[in-house]
Amino acid sequence: MFADLALARRLEAAEAAIGIACAHSQRGAPAAVEHVAGGYAVFVGVNSMLTHALGLGMNGPVTRAEVDRMEAFFRGRGAPVNIDLCPLAHPSLIEILRGRPYNISEFNTVLALPLTGAVPASPDGRIRECVPEDREIWSRTVAAGFFERHELSDDETAVADTIFGMPGSRCFLGCSSEGRPAAGAALAIREGLASFFGDSTVPAYRGAGLHSALIRERLSAAIRAGCDTATASTLPGSLSQRNYERLGFQVAYTKLVLTS
């Protein structure tokens, strides 16, 4: 697999589509989306991790006026400016950002796996696809894994709740040997590309293979849906990245998250 501009555009477009869908499914708070600089500015709340700019510079040159408009979109709503910067973005975007007060706040490894000719794995009894009635338990399980505690506020479960309600999302729940909710993950499909996201395991149940089982279950679902490629993003060098690579995913590129 060669991570060229065509693949990067496809992966970044899929991630932007997820961000837009999350904004449209947000409950109880104003949300907004603006098409700018070849990508999108997404606002889902001042402190939400879903509030960021995606796909900028992926479709040609970017102007300073466009970057100004993107920054005004966030600052006018009282939010910091967070940009997911793909290394294959047009150089004009990098040149503009170089002269502005941005700091690197995070790196994200983007992985991909060709699915052509792949065969679905056998079902794992610990994993099941969620039904609408699972919304609260899935959201609380994913949030408990992310925040590494069980006592959670409504704000802390809001992102997972938004993902569950996102149009087109398919959520999966992993249970312990005792049948307790222990892990969760989500899948979205766009034009033959399966995006894996929302992966989270409650600390007490880590090391039991639930994350790998959730990856395999979503791969099977993607193959049955006729997808030709799967993708996921992780923190560099994380256990999540290791689990994805063990199941055949390859690093496509590493993105910067810039904050101002």
Side-chain angles (χ1 to χ4, degrees), residues 3 13 16 43 49 51 55 81 97 101 127 129 149 153 196 213 232 250:
F43 176 82
M49 66 181 66
T51 294
V81 183
L97 295 177
I127 310 298
E129 186 165 358
R149 51 187 164 79
S153 67
F196 295 6
Q250 302 174 46

Side-chain angles (χ1 to χ4, degrees), residues 32-255:
V33 175
E34 185 167 332
H35 181 46
V36 62
Y40 293 89
V42 178
F43 176 82
V44 192
V46 172
N47 298 314
S48 175
M49 66 181 66
L50 299 176
T51 294
H52 55 166
L54 308 106
L56 303 188
M58 296 306 298
N59 293 288
V62 172
T63 67
R64 295 184 184 278
E66 289 177 299
V67 176
D68 290 343
R69 183 158 60 91
M70 178 272 298
E71 292 177 340
F73 171 90
F74 293 109
R75 290 175 179 153
R77 292 172 171 81
V81 183
N82 292 303
I83 302 173
D84 282 16
L85 180 61
C86 176
L88 282 81
H90 195 274
S92 60
L93 175 62
I94 299 170
E95 180 62 29
I96 292 168
L97 295 177
R98 182 182 293 132
R100 303 194 181 202
Y102 283 92
N103 295 312
I104 299 171
S105 57
E106 190 174 278
F107 293 89
N108 282 309
T109 298
V110 179
L111 303 107
L113 172 66
L115 297 179
T116 304
V119 178
S122 300
D124 188 315
R126 300 174 298 171
I127 310 298
R128 64 177 174 84
E129 186 165 358
C130 294
V131 296
E133 291 74 20
D134 293 320
R135 183 168 188 160
E136 182 176 359
I137 190 62
W138 186 88
S139 298
R140 295 194 69 81
T141 300
V142 168
F146 181 81
F147 290 104
E148 300 191 334
R149 51 187 164 79
H150 285 286
E151 298 300 322
L152 301 162
S153 67
D154 290 342
D155 287 344
E156 289 171 334
T157 61
V159 170
D161 180 82
T162 298
I163 290 172
F164 193 100
M166 186 188 90
S169 70
R170 296 173 62 178
C171 294
F172 296 79
L173 187 68
C175 293
S176 68
S177 57
E178 300 85 15
R180 295 174 182 166
L187 162 69
I189 295 173
R190 179 182 184 272
E191 298 178 358
L193 175 65
S195 296
F196 295 6
F197 60 106
D199 304 39
S200 180
T201 304
V202 176
Y205 300 107
R206 291 174 184 169
L210 284 170
H211 184 227
S212 294
L214 282 164
I215 297 172
R216 286 191 292 268
E217 193 70 22
R218 286 176 292 169
L219 282 173
S220 294
I223 293 166
R224 287 192 291 268
C227 295
D228 59 80
T229 306
T231 184
S233 294
T234 71
L235 292 177
S238 63
L239 292 177
S240 290
Q241 179 177 339
R242 182 186 67 179
N243 289 339
Y244 273 106
E245 290 199 40
R246 282 177 169 175
L247 292 172
F249 283 75
Q250 302 174 46
V251 175
Y253 49 84
T254 298
K255 294 198 295 186

